[in-house]
Each structure stands twice: as structure tokens, then as C-alpha cells.
């Protein structure tokens, strides 16, 4: 057999026989590493340690000290769940059970599961872990596997798709349980130190709502029980911040069945916050030289065919027939902005041209994937599109990044950054791509921020810088983005006249400072636990009269704070109950006024951190509100 070259993480190379396994290579490096090998990462893919290497490749050996070990452990935990389920419910049919960022899930059918059932399955799973069963891989002829799963249409579907053309397929067994699976897995069930089942939900097979509805069981696992308990406590605290619960509690938004799925209704409190967010980003855009535009919600599909979205997004679009013509609700704003640019005649002196719009878009996500504001059918993007000369890309990206950093600083949000480079299928010359990627990389390097390079994850029309926010549950959500586009100008035949009096294509830059308002609003609700900064809070101050006799003075104080969102609590409650309600409503400031305050013409100020100062002049407090609001401070600080 011929040799192949295996490149290790330190850049060194090993020559091994073709067909050598990941574990063989580990032993070649050293017997200790061979014994500790759990799995391998081959050219970026996590694989079983028994995987043969047939071509030159890059290889990372995975041990229990590797970051990837947790994925392997959780994949094995999914099998432990499946084994426990079938011990208690032999009639249950298994679909698929991958690991996730937070644990694992397994899609099943044939059983109805409630919380008591999960508790019993979890107990059985812990017994399986205690049994410390060996996990062993074996192969079975593909045709024989069809016979094994004669009554399981989901496993047969996997055999017909993922395993199509394979002579044999891999199985894993532990005790009496076996499962069709590519792996990898740990060596024994006893390696799982902490195991928990979390919740269930409905899921469509293959994510297609035309397919069967299955029960998805979520769980998690850790090497130690202590790590599991720490995670569960963090999860409990995060669930207290769930934007769906807080959205209802604070009367921010709702998504009732009668309106249709994924179509949120914003109540007055929520709309006030959205308006503040919009005003803020509009100010940033105008200061940066952007011009406001507006495009309709609906276009003839000729536009989407010209832009390429019809071919790429048709299944996710809402299409309708109007007088025998096909129209589509817009899934993106960029074709409309490109069309506006196309209506003008431009010279090099006019560029860059910058448009912005809070544009509502519609995407027909699978119903099973809709969740609160995190994934909806109708959402609004704070969209910006720029048309620039190629030599102007760097300056515009610098300015956009400054705007993004200002937003991140204003809201004090945690985020991750990635540079996504050219994918296999792309448009544009090598020269343009190389220059564009180097410009984006240079911007990130000079900013000093940490970022990941995601090779091949750019859009087909250009490279991009993506920001991802982390919510209270540790999930990552798309946020600000900067994308270079060489495709749209070509499709719309956009041009400008150069200094040499020749026509040339502009480069289009897509950018958003929030991403979508819905997702950004969700992140803010959870990030601030509903305790919004003064400038965002739907109610900024609540005046609490000690008794009904002080109502008149309370209203005079509220009038003196004209320009702020102030309410007077006029219910005949005790002052203690009024304070508690304002605290529960997360109002930044409370003003308490009784006989003493009315006589002296002052106020007592409390904040939601339960700090209080008496004998405050109304004008003094008003001056503070103005500065706190205008500086967009994240927390009330009058009493700090």
C-alpha cells in the first residue's frame, strides 16, 4: 500500500500507510497518546478513532482533555438515553440523536412523554451509566441494516440517503442496545459523570412540516456531576430571563394563535423600546452620511428572479397570485435598494452612495423552528446598502465597524466575531476576492479584537464580517454584519462613470448594526433581565403618592418632568405595595411624595436597586434624567 501524509496541528508531517486509522496514527506518535485517543478530527470533521485515512489529510487527535471530547461524550449520552427509553418503552422508535452545543437531543416516536416519564427515563439512564457498559463499534452490510430496521422508516431513510452507495454501515452497541451511527463515542457508558434530561418539544422529521411530527427529547451530559450541577444552576437563572416570559410579564409583545405563527404583535411598551432603538440607529446613519429610503413589502417575482433570490429562497418565500401575476413578500431589502440605485446616473464623484431602511422582511421558516422573537416569519432589519468604488471599500468598512463598535459599547453586549471567506461556489475574480478578504482582515487586525476565520463560509457574492450575540441561555444569535457583494451589481447591471469616462461596476456593501430588531430586542430583554436602561425603558419614572391627598402634587411633579415617560400611580394602595409593583415592573426610578415632600416642594427618589434619597429638588432630578438619558447609560445612577 502507498503512503499518505498526515499533517499534525504543529505543522509536522507523518508518513503512514494508506488505510491506517486515527488510533494507529496516535500510537505512531506515542503509546501514551494512542491509549488516550478517544476520536479524531480529520480535515475539520470529528470522526471515530477507528476511521481509516485514505488520503493526505490534516489530523487532530482527540483525548479527554480536548475541546471536542464533550461532543463525543454527549453523543454517547444520547445513546444512553435511547437505551433507557427502549428499556422502559420497547415500542418507541428512534430517529436521530446528535450532540449539540449544550448537550444532545434524540427524536423519537411511538410514545407520549411527560415530565414523570422523563424522570423515570433519567433514572434508568443513570443505571446504565453505573453499569459501565463497553461501547463497541461494528459494521453491518447495508442491506442487512435495512432488515434490522424493517419497521423503522426513519432509520431506513438514513440508510437511503446518508448511507446511499455504501456497502456497509457502522453501528455502536452497549449491552443489549445497538444503534445505526457514524460516531464517535467514548469507550464506556461509565465515562459520563453527569447526565440530565431537560425538556421535550415537537419536531418535524428532516425539519420538513410535510413530514411526520416526532418528539424531540433534549438532554445534556458532562464528565463530572459537579459540572452538570453548575450548568443546571446557570440554566435555571437564564430561564428566569427568558424573553418570552418577560415579554408577557412586562407587556412588551405577544404572538397569539389568531395572528398566525411567527408574526409578533408589539404592545405599547414594546413599541416604545423599538422606537428608541430605531431613533438611535437613524442618528448613527445620518451622521455617517446615509440617506433614508423605503421599499414596499411586496414585489413582482421578476425582481426576485433578477436578484437570484427566487432560485435560492423560493421555498422560504411567501408567494401569491395577483391578477395572474406572481408576487412575493420580500425576504430581503437589498434588491429594492439596488433598484433605487439603478434609477440614477452616477459618476465616480457621487460614490459612495449610502442607503438605509428599517425594512420589514418575511421568511417562511419551519413552524417547529419558530420561537418567541428569536425566529419569526416577519422581522425588521436595520438595513444599510452602500455602492462604492473598489478602492473605497476599506474606508467604508472602517466607518461601518466604528458604528458597530459604538452600538456594542452602548449596550455592553458580549459577542463573538468571525471573518467568513470565499466559498467554493462564488462569483467575482480571484483578484477582487483576495483584495476584499485582505481588507476585511486588516480592519479586524487593526481593531485588536479576537476573531475566528471561517474558511469558505462567506456568501457566494462576497466575504463578510459577522458578529454573534450570546443570550442568557448561552445560545449564539446573528447580530451586526458587514458583507461585500460583487454579484448584485452584476445582476442589476449597475454602473458608474469613472474618471476616465468609462463605465465600471460598483461594489455593494450590505451592513446591519443590530441585525434584526426582533432578535436584537430578544437579546436585550434577556441581557438586561427586563431592566432596560433609562433611555430605553417604556416607563422611565413612576410617581407614588403616599395617599390620595398627595395625588395633586404627584401630578404636578409628573408635569415638571415633561419630555420623559412618567406615570402617576393613582390606585388606593399602601405606599409599600406601590413600591413593590414599580419594582416588579422594573421601572428605573420611583418618586415618593407625601405630606413632607409636598410641604417642602421636594421629592424622595428611589431606584430599582432599592436605594433612596430624600429632599431632592425636582429640577436637580430632572437635570440628572436628561444627562443619563442622553448619555445612554446602562443603569440608573442618580443614587450611585
Amino acid at each position: 500500500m502507498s503512503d499518505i501524509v498526515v499533517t499534525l496541528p504543529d505543522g509536522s508531517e507523518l508518513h503512514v500507510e494508506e488505510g491506517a486509522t486515527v488510533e494507529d496514527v496516535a500510537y505512531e506518535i506515542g503509546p501514551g497518546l494512542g491509549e488516550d485517543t478517544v476520536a479524531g478530527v480529520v480535515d475539520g470533521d470529528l470522526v471515530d478513532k477507528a476511521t481509516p485515512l485514505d488520503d493526505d489529510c490534516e489530523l487532530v487527535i482527540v483525548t479527554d482533555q480536548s475541546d471536542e471530547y464533550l461532543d463525543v461524550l454527549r453523543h454517547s449520552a444520547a445513546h444512553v438515553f435511547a437505551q433507557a427509553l427502549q428499556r422502559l418503552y420497547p415500542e418507541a422508535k428512534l430517529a436521530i440523536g446528535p450532540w449539540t452545543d449544550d448537550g444532545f437531543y434524540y427524536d423519537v416516536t411511538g410514545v407520549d412523554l411527560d415530565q414523570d416519564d422523563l424522570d423515570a427515563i433519567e433514572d434508568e439512564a443513570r443505571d446504565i451509566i453505573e453499569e459501565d457498559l463497553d461501547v463497541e463499534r461494528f459494521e453491518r452490510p447495508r442491506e442487512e441494516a435495512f432488515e434490522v430496521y424493517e419497521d423503522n422508516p426513519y432509520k431506513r431513510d438514513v440508510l437511503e440517503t446518508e448511507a446511499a452507495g455504501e456497502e456497509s454501515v457502522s453501528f455502536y452497541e452497549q449491552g443489549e442496545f445497538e444503534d445505526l451511527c457514524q460516531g464517535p463515542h467514548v469507550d464506556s457508558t461509565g465515562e459520563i459523570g453527569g447526565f440530565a434530561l431537560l425538556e421535550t418539544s415537537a419536531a418535524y422529521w428532516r425539519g420538513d412540516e410535510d413530514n411526520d411530527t416526532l418528539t424531540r427529547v433534549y438532554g445534556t451530559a458532562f464528565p463530572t456531576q459537579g459540572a452538570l450541577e453548575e450548568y443546571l444552576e446557570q440554566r435555571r437563572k437564564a430561564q428566569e430571563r427568558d424573553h418570552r416570559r418577560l415579554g408577557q410579564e412586562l407587556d412588551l409583545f405577544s404572538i397569539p394563535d389568531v395572528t398566525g405563527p411567527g408574526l409578533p404583535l408589539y404592545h405599547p411598551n414594546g413599541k416604545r423600546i423599538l422606537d428608541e432603538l430605531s431613533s438611535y440607529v437613524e442618528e448613527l446613519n445620518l451622521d455617517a452620511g446615509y440617506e433614508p429610503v423605503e421599499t414596499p413589502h411586496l414585489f413582482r417575482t421578476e425582481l426576485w428572479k433578477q436578484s437570484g433570490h427566487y432560485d435560492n429562497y423560493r421555498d422560504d418565500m411567501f408567494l401569491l397570485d395577483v391578477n395572474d401575476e406572481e408576487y412575493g413578500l420580500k425576504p430581503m431589502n437589498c434588491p429594492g435598494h439596488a433598484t433605487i440605485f439603478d434609477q440614477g446616473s452616477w459618476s465616480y464623484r457621487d460614490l459612495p452612495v449610502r442607503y438605509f431602511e428599517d425594512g420589514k422582511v418575511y421568511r417562511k421558516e419551519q413552524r417547529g423552528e419558530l420561537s418567541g422573537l428569536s425566529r419569526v416569519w416577519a422581522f425588521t432589519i436595520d438595513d444599510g446598502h452602500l455602492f462604492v468604488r473598489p478602492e473605497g471599500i476599506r474606508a467604508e468598512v472602517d466607518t461601518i465597524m466604528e458604528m458597530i463598535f459604538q452600538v456594542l459599547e452602548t449596550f455592553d453586549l458580549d459577542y463573538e466575531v468571525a471573518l467568513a471567506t470565499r466559498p467554493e461556489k462564488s462569483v467575482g475574480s480571484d483578484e477582487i476576492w483576495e483584495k476584499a478578504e485582505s481588507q476585511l482582515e486588516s480592519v479586524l487586525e487593526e481593531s485588536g479584537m479576537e476573531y475566528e476565520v471561517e474558511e469558505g463560509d462567506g456568501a457566494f457574492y462576497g466575504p463578510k464580517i459577522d458578529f454573534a450575540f450570546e443570550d442568557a441561555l448561552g445560545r449564539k444569535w446573528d447580530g451586526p454584519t458587514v458583507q461585500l457583494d460583487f454579484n448584485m451589481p452584476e445582476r442589476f447591471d449597475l454602473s458608474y462613470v469613472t474618471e476616465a469616462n468609462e463605465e465600471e461596476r460598483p461594489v455593494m456593501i450590505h451592513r446591519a448594526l443590530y441585525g434584526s430588531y426582533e432578535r436584537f430586542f430578544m437579546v436585550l430583554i434577556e441581557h438586561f433581565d427586563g431592566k432596560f436602561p433609562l433611555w430605553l425603558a417604556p416607563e422611565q419614572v413612576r410617581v407614588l403618592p403616599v395617599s390620595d391627598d398627595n395625588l395633586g402634587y404627584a401630578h404636578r411633579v409628573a408635569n415638571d418632568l415633561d419630555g420623559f415617560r412618567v406615570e402617576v400611580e393613582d390606585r388606593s394602595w399602601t405606599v409599600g405595595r406601590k413600591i413593590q409593583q414599580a419594582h416588579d415592573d422594573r421601572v428605573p426610578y420611583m418618586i415618593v411624595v407625601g405630606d413632607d415632600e409636598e410641604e417642602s416642594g421636594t421629592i424622595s427618589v428611589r431606584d430599582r436597586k432599592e436605594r433612596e434619597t430624600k429632599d431632592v429638588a425636582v429640577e436637580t432630578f430632572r437635570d440628572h434624567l436628561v444627562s443619563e438619558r442622553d448619555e445612554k447609560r446602562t443603569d440608573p445612577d442618580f443614587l450611585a
Side-chain angles (χ1 to χ4, degrees):
M1 297 180 68
S2 60
D3 282 356
I4 61 172
V5 178
V6 176
T7 304
L8 302 175
D10 63 0
S12 61
E13 296 181 347
L14 278 179
H15 291 260
V16 300
E17 283 190 357
E18 180 184 346
T21 66
V22 169
E23 189 174 31
D24 292 336
V25 175
Y27 272 107
E28 183 76 16
I29 298 170
L33 183 62
E35 292 177 3
D36 293 340
T37 297
V38 175
V41 179
V42 178
D43 291 334
D45 294 326
L46 185 60
V47 301
D48 190 278
K49 63 184 178 182
T51 299
L53 307 176
D54 298 320
D55 299 295
D56 294 351
C57 62
E58 295 181 355
L59 173 65
V60 179
I61 302 297
V62 175
T63 71
D64 62 7
Q65 300 302 306
S66 305
D67 292 339
E68 295 84 1
Y69 177 69
L70 200 53
D71 293 336
V72 179
L73 185 80
R74 287 169 171 171
H75 198 185
S76 301
H79 277 212
V80 169
F81 157 75
Q83 183 177 11
L85 176 72
Q86 292 204 314
R87 281 185 178 182
L88 298 178
Y89 303 93
E91 70 276 16
K93 284 186 172 60
L94 304 176
I96 55 173
W99 71 81
T100 67
D101 289 342
D102 294 322
F104 64 87
Y105 69 79
Y106 216 121
D107 288 344
V108 303
T109 189
V111 289
D112 293 323
L113 301 175
D114 58 23
Q115 188 57 51
D116 289 340
D117 297 323
L118 289 188
D119 292 342
I121 296 167
E122 187 175 296
D123 289 340
E124 186 66 33
R126 290 199 178 100
D127 289 342
I128 292 169
I129 292 169
E130 285 292 326
E131 292 170 25
D132 195 20
L133 301 174
D134 289 337
V135 180
E136 297 181 349
R137 178 183 182 276
F138 69 94
E139 293 198 354
R140 174 176 275 142
R142 179 168 172 269
E143 293 307 315
E144 184 180 318
F146 274 107
E147 296 175 8
V148 171
Y149 291 118
E150 181 179 1
D151 297 325
N152 188 321
Y154 312 108
K155 297 294 187 183
R156 292 177 68 87
D157 189 7
V158 173
L159 289 169
E160 290 169 353
T161 53
E162 283 90 330
E166 300 291 333
E167 291 184 6
S168 62
V169 291
S170 63
F171 278 72
Y172 285 81
E173 65 177 356
Q174 52 200 46
E176 82 287 356
F177 176 78
E178 65 177 44
D179 199 5
L180 172 71
C181 185
Q182 290 183 334
H185 291 280
V186 295
D187 288 335
S188 76
T189 61
E191 291 188 36
I192 302 171
F195 179 96
L197 297 180
L198 303 174
E199 60 188 358
T200 65
S201 71
Y204 298 112
W205 174 239
R206 301 292 195 187
D208 187 338
E209 61 186 29
D210 292 330
N211 290 338
D212 294 347
T213 301
L214 309 177
T215 297
R216 178 165 293 180
V217 180
Y218 291 93
T220 193
F222 289 86
T224 66
Q225 182 66 23
L228 171 65
E229 291 173 358
E230 182 179 336
Y231 167 81
L232 293 176
E233 176 62 16
Q234 179 185 14
R235 188 173 186 271
R236 183 192 65 77
K237 291 179 179 178
Q239 287 176 330
E240 293 177 357
R241 296 176 173 231
D242 188 289
H243 77 284
R244 291 164 295 186
R245 184 181 69 82
L246 290 175
Q248 180 177 4
E249 183 179 317
L250 300 177
D251 197 23
L252 301 175
F253 71 92
S254 61
I255 309 179
D257 290 341
V258 70
T259 66
L263 301 171
L265 302 177
Y266 292 103
H267 300 198
N269 285 344
K271 179 58 176 169
R272 290 187 188 105
I273 296 173
L274 291 175
D275 284 346
E276 292 289 350
L277 292 173
S278 180
S279 296
Y280 174 51
V281 81
E282 180 180 27
E283 180 183 338
L284 293 178
N285 282 320
L286 293 175
D287 287 347
Y290 287 72
E291 295 181 289
V293 297
E294 184 173 323
T295 57
H297 297 242
L298 189 70
F299 287 99
R300 294 173 62 234
T301 51
E302 292 306 310
L303 179 76
W304 308 116
K305 292 173 182 176
Q306 185 176 359
S307 69
H309 290 99
Y310 194 81
D311 292 335
N312 291 298
Y313 277 87
R314 183 178 180 180
D315 291 342
D316 297 322
M317 290 179 64
F318 292 93
L319 301 173
L320 59 154
D321 184 90
V322 181
N323 297 328
D324 295 327
E325 275 196 291
E326 190 177 41
Y327 284 74
L329 289 173
K330 60 179 178 179
M332 293 184 180
N333 298 301
C334 40
H337 292 190
T339 303
I340 292 173
F341 182 87
D342 191 36
Q343 303 305 297
S345 298
W346 308 96
S347 85
Y348 68 95
R349 295 187 183 90
D350 300 313
L351 272 57
V353 172
R354 310 179 186 95
Y355 297 143
F356 79 94
E357 174 186 13
D358 282 347
K360 181 79 76 176
V361 298
Y362 303 85
R363 297 182 192 172
K364 190 169 60 176
E365 303 278 4
Q366 299 293 337
R367 293 194 181 204
E369 296 176 351
L370 301 176
S371 177
L373 298 180
S374 63
R375 194 174 293 277
V376 290
W377 275 358
F379 57 97
T380 304
I381 302 174
D382 69 303
D383 242 336
H385 293 100
L386 304 87
F387 302 88
V388 306
R389 293 180 288 166
E391 59 268 28
I393 292 174
R394 174 60 190 273
E396 291 304 312
V397 171
D398 277 336
T399 301
I400 293 168
M401 293 294 285
E402 289 174 8
M403 297 168 72
I404 290 173
F405 293 146
Q406 186 170 343
V407 170
L408 296 171
E409 183 178 345
T410 296
F411 295 100
D412 191 26
L413 289 167
D414 293 331
Y415 60 91
E416 294 179 354
V417 185
L419 171 62
T421 62
R422 187 175 192 172
E424 287 187 19
K425 294 183 178 180
S426 58
V427 296
S429 68
D430 292 343
E431 181 183 359
I432 290 179
W433 272 88
E434 289 169 6
K435 184 175 182 179
E437 288 177 2
S438 67
Q439 287 175 323
L440 295 185
E441 184 175 18
S442 179
V443 169
L444 290 172
E445 288 292 335
E446 291 182 12
S447 72
M449 66 186 347
E450 294 184 4
Y451 66 94
E452 297 288 332
V453 176
E454 296 180 345
E455 298 286 352
D457 279 353
F460 72 93
Y461 50 74
K464 56 181 180 171
I465 297 172
D466 285 334
F467 290 74
F469 294 124
E470 182 173 309
D471 69 11
L473 295 174
R475 298 168 300 185
K476 302 295 190 303
W477 299 105
D478 293 340
T481 187
V482 186
Q483 304 176 1
L484 304 186
D485 185 350
F486 315 120
N487 177 63
M488 199 77 69
E490 184 74 27
R491 282 183 170 268
F492 282 83
D493 194 24
L494 304 182
S495 66
Y496 66 95
V497 178
T498 69
E499 194 169 3
N501 204 32
E502 297 175 347
E503 286 196 348
E504 186 170 319
R505 297 251 182 265
V507 175
M508 189 173 179
I509 300 178
H510 307 243
R511 54 104 277 208
L513 305 182
Y514 295 148
S516 81
Y517 277 90
E518 282 68 19
R519 197 165 283 175
F520 191 70
F521 192 16
M522 175 210 74
V523 171
L524 291 185
I525 293 170
E526 298 188 352
H527 177 68
F528 290 118
D529 190 21
K531 300 170 185 173
F532 297 104
L534 177 76
W535 71 279
L536 281 180
E539 182 183 351
Q540 296 168 321
V541 180
R542 186 175 297 178
V543 185
L544 314 177
V546 173
S547 72
D548 290 348
D549 293 339
N550 307 119
L551 266 173
Y553 183 60
H555 281 286
R556 291 197 296 275
V557 169
N559 290 336
D560 288 341
L561 298 176
D562 182 49
F564 289 90
R565 295 185 285 275
V566 183
E567 300 290 339
V568 175
E569 176 57 85
D570 58 4
R571 287 172 287 194
S572 297
W573 290 351
T574 65
V575 70
R577 185 179 178 187
K578 292 176 180 180
I579 290 172
Q580 183 60 53
Q581 186 61 54
H583 180 77
D584 291 346
D585 291 340
R586 292 165 169 79
V587 180
Y589 288 109
M590 293 154 262
I591 293 177
V592 180
V593 291
D595 293 340
D596 292 342
E597 287 81 10
E598 186 167 357
E599 183 177 342
S600 63
T602 61
I603 57 177
S604 293
V605 180
R606 291 176 63 93
D607 64 20
R608 59 188 171 209
K609 293 185 177 180
E610 302 182 359
R611 300 173 296 193
E612 184 173 10
T613 296
K614 298 179 182 297
D615 301 321
V616 177
V618 176
E619 190 63 30
T620 299
F621 182 57
R622 179 182 173 79
D623 289 344
H624 171 80
L625 290 179
V626 170
S627 62
E628 184 176 321
R629 177 193 63 192
D630 293 351
E631 294 175 16
K632 294 181 170 56
R633 301 173 203 163
T634 56
D635 215 19
D637 61 1
F638 178 72
L639 304 169

